[in-house]
Amino acid sequence: MKRLSLLCAVLIVALMSASTLFAAQIRVYVSEFSITGAANKDELKTTLQTLLASRLSSDSVLTVDSPVGADVQVKGSYIAFGKIFSLDAVAKDASGRVIARSFQQGESQDELIPAAGKLGQALAAEITAKVKPGTAMAPQPVPAPVPAAPSDVVRPAAPRPATDVVKASTTSDIVKPQELTRTATGGWMSQRLTGTLIGIAPGKAAADGTQDYYLTDEQSLRLYRKGDSLKLVAEVSFSPRERVIAIDSADLDGDGIPEAYVTIVDGDSLASQVWVAEKDSLKRVAAGLPYYFRGIDLNGKDHRIFAQQMSTDRDYYGDVFEVVKKGDRYELTAPLKLPRFGTIYNFNRFRDASGNVFYVVINDDGYLIVYSAAGEELWRSSDKFGGSETYFKREDLANIRTTGDQFRWIFLEQRITVTPAGEIIVPKNEGMFVIGNNRAYKKSSVYAFTWTGSSLDEIWHTKQSQNYLADYFFDSARKELVALEVVKKEGLISKGASVVAVKRVE
């Protein structure tokens, strides 16, 4: 009994000490940053808010989620001129008196996180020295409600009662609006594959039900065969100078076996290759091709390979061409002039019920844009889509004083698919901190839209995966979405791991 009483006394003292500690902390609220000169303003203002709040927290400073009851309120701003940026912050006490100011500058986006850390340390030191805990801001009085005057504005109807809400099935990978809900019949996932893989493309589908896949990382091409699991059939490696950035496939010679079109950057130029599965091995068909490759189903029709070139000063040069195989040679034909922001890796084309042609593009900021055939912007999404960690670098000495980097980073974009039914499929990768060259996506989903004549309306999306989506393709004949996901990123010691997931869309 004495031991129990002693234990209770110790616990009470500990709780009182903890209470005293929290009471002695200065409560600080960090508001959203104001952003000037940056493209991704909405994402950046909350990201910097979270970042500075975490850097301010210490034994003497407690960051809170609301200005109500806070002893100090911090307002920050981010201003960018090219690659150079400035982080500025001002802290005010409960009476509105400025008690601390600080700023940090950087010459590239790689310096943003360290700059936020230094900014937080400087502010925390001044706040601790000048503010006493418990001087919280008094809540502002709430004005009495004023009777509403008659209005011509029609407000949205109240939310439907809970009984009208249809819950998505826990066994389905597809979430659809109530009126279009159908059953998704599950899916399939491979075993963990070694390495951080970046691309996938379909190979030969055999009569016995097996399916070949071409998969690649930055330095190799692999041939896998899908049965009950994925079996590695063949693998080839590329030289250290050669960096794989994309893979696509198509049966251009009509022999029933799709060829793999591997886009490779060698130094500062393109040196792409073509391979094909030959029994249980890989055979090189062509090398040193100065093209980017992409497999696209224009208007949801036949799958074809398209190509684009680069020049000494432009990453994507000229029109996009269809690739035609004639014997042992490849020729470019039927040029496509893309609308603004369009490159071979971020566009597709579709038709409406009347046969009118439209282009859909993911711009540099991640927004979906629909253009008319004449290049007029018709619609732009309010949410961001796409997002890729795959990139290559080109020397950029002309801008080194502005960027602080002798190289220019070029990130590829996720493919946009148009199905025979006219659906437009677009992936969406998301991450907590994705700015400039700092990209670390943590979760993903895939969305399908239809064109209404005025906007893109969602018709279904996959359940959110807790993995980064590196690449995918849609098999319209089987109604399968085949996704390549990275389950573990490559580290100093680990090579990373990836999986292939097949999801039925019915």
Side-chain angles (χ1 to χ4, degrees):
M1 189 67 180
K2 289 182 179 179
R3 289 183 178 178
L4 181 59
S5 299
L6 180 60
L7 178 59
C8 290
V10 171
L11 287 174
I12 291 171
V13 171
L15 289 172
M16 291 177 65
S17 300
S19 176
T20 303
L21 174 62
F22 287 118
Q25 285 184 301
I26 302 168
R27 299 166 64 85
V28 177
Y29 171 71
V30 180
S31 61
E32 287 187 346
F33 271 61
S34 64
I35 308 297
T36 303
N40 49 346
K41 292 183 178 181
D42 292 339
E43 183 178 346
L44 192 55
K45 64 184 181 182
T46 54
T47 300
L48 289 174
Q49 177 191 24
T50 304
L51 192 62
L52 181 58
S54 67
R55 299 311 191 265
L56 273 171
S57 295
S58 65
D59 292 340
S60 56
V61 174
L62 174 67
T63 54
V64 294
D65 296 330
S66 170
V68 178
D71 300 311
V72 176
Q73 184 167 350
V74 176
K75 292 185 178 180
S77 64
Y78 172 91
I79 303 173
F81 299 95
K83 294 294 183 179
I84 300 175
F85 68 86
S86 176
L87 285 177
D88 298 78
V90 59
K92 297 182 180 181
D93 63 11
S95 64
R97 179 173 59 93
V98 174
I99 58 171
R101 291 182 185 274
S102 185
F103 75 93
Q104 293 291 327
Q105 292 180 334
E107 296 183 354
S108 73
Q109 292 298 315
D110 296 334
E111 299 178 14
L112 187 55
I113 295 179
K118 294 176 182 177
L119 184 69
Q121 291 174 4
L123 284 175
E126 287 197 60
I127 291 171
T128 304
K130 297 179 181 180
V131 179
K132 293 182 179 180
T135 57
M137 300 176 184
Q140 298 296 316
V142 180
V146 178
S151 172
D152 292 331
V153 178
V154 179
R155 302 291 183 185
R160 294 182 179 180
T163 54
D164 289 342
V165 177
V166 177
K167 295 182 178 179
S169 169
T170 56
T171 60
S172 172
D173 284 313
I174 307 298
V175 181
K176 299 189 176 185
Q178 177 181 347
E179 64 273 12
L180 294 176
T181 299
R182 290 172 286 173
T183 303
T185 57
W188 176 90
M189 182 173 287
S190 74
Q191 74 277 19
R192 289 166 66 96
L193 308 175
T194 303
T196 304
L197 301 178
I198 64 170
I200 184 171
K204 180 181 179 181
D208 61 2
T210 58
Q211 168 73 59
D212 285 357
Y213 295 132
Y214 297 110
L215 287 100
T216 185
D217 59 20
E218 293 180 353
Q219 290 293 310
S220 67
L221 170 66
R222 307 179 193 177
L223 177 65
Y224 282 93
R225 186 157 296 147
K226 175 183 175 291
D228 295 332
S229 62
L230 277 186
K231 177 185 176 183
L232 180 61
V233 178
E235 181 176 7
V236 293
S237 297
F238 302 104
S239 73
R241 280 182 51 89
E242 297 173 322
R243 182 188 181 109
V244 179
I245 61 171
I247 185 170
D248 291 89
S249 65
D251 182 13
L252 296 191
D253 57 11
D255 65 354
I257 304 176
E259 309 92 40
Y261 292 81
V262 187
T263 302
I264 296 175
V265 176
D266 185 349
D268 209 36
S269 60
L270 290 167
S272 299
Q273 302 182 14
V274 182
W275 292 76
V276 69
E278 192 173 76
K279 296 183 179 179
D280 290 343
S281 63
L282 287 164
K283 175 186 175 182
R284 190 169 69 181
V285 177
L289 302 175
Y291 310 122
Y292 301 102
F293 288 126
R294 180 65 113 188
I296 304 174
D297 300 15
L298 286 183
N299 309 319
K301 303 300 182 183
D302 295 338
H303 185 75
R304 301 173 184 177
I305 296 294
F306 291 82
Q308 192 173 18
Q309 296 175 296
M310 71 163 55
S311 67
T312 55
D313 59 343
R314 297 183 62 182
D315 302 321
Y316 298 100
Y317 174 75
D319 296 336
V320 170
F321 294 84
E322 182 183 343
V323 178
V324 176
K325 190 172 189 293
K326 293 186 176 180
D328 295 333
R329 297 183 299 107
Y330 290 91
E331 297 182 1
L332 305 185
T333 184
L336 287 173
K337 191 170 293 294
L338 300 186
R340 188 184 181 194
F341 305 121
T343 73
I344 190 171
Y345 289 118
N346 69 355
F347 92 101
N348 208 323
R349 194 177 73 185
F350 65 93
R351 294 181 183 271
D352 63 10
S354 302
N356 299 312
V357 172
F358 302 87
Y359 286 89
V360 57
V361 169
I362 302 177
N363 72 1
D364 290 343
D365 293 329
Y367 294 102
L368 274 175
I369 304 176
V370 175
Y371 294 94
S372 69
E376 178 189 1
E377 181 177 324
L378 304 177
W379 178 85
R380 181 180 296 229
S381 68
S382 56
D383 293 331
K384 293 185 179 183
F385 292 89
S388 172
E389 294 181 9
T390 301
Y391 69 93
F392 63 97
K393 295 193 290 186
R394 302 187 72 192
E395 194 171 62
D396 190 13
L397 299 179
N399 293 311
I400 191 171
R401 294 184 63 182
T402 302
T403 63
D405 192 337
Q406 73 177 90
F407 294 101
R408 180 172 64 255
W409 296 44
I410 301 97
F411 284 85
L412 272 63
E413 191 48 87
Q414 294 285 344
R415 65 182 77 238
I416 301 174
T417 301
V418 177
T419 72
E423 297 177 356
I424 299 162
I425 298 177
V426 187
K428 183 178 185 178
N429 276 311
E430 298 178 83
M432 180 63 184
F433 192 79
V434 181
I435 299 174
N437 297 336
N438 300 300
R439 300 194 178 193
Y441 295 104
K442 300 294 186 182
K443 51 189 177 181
S444 61
S445 18
V446 178
Y447 288 76
F449 299 91
T450 186
W451 177 245
T452 66
S454 58
S455 64
L456 290 179
D457 273 7
E458 181 190 337
I459 51 179
W460 58 259
H461 67 267
T462 62
K463 291 193 300 185
Q464 191 173 76
S465 168
Q466 297 303 303
N467 302 318
Y468 160 62
L469 178 70
D471 195 12
Y472 82 100
F473 68 86
F474 182 72
D475 188 332
S476 58
R478 297 186 180 186
K479 294 189 179 298
E480 290 181 344
L481 184 74
V482 183
L484 174 62
E485 299 182 358
V486 176
V487 297
K488 184 179 180 182
K489 300 292 180 68
E490 183 176 356
L492 294 176
I493 301 176
S494 169
K495 293 183 177 180
S498 307
V499 296
V500 174
V502 180
K503 302 173 183 180
R504 294 281 296 169
V505 182
E506 291 184 338

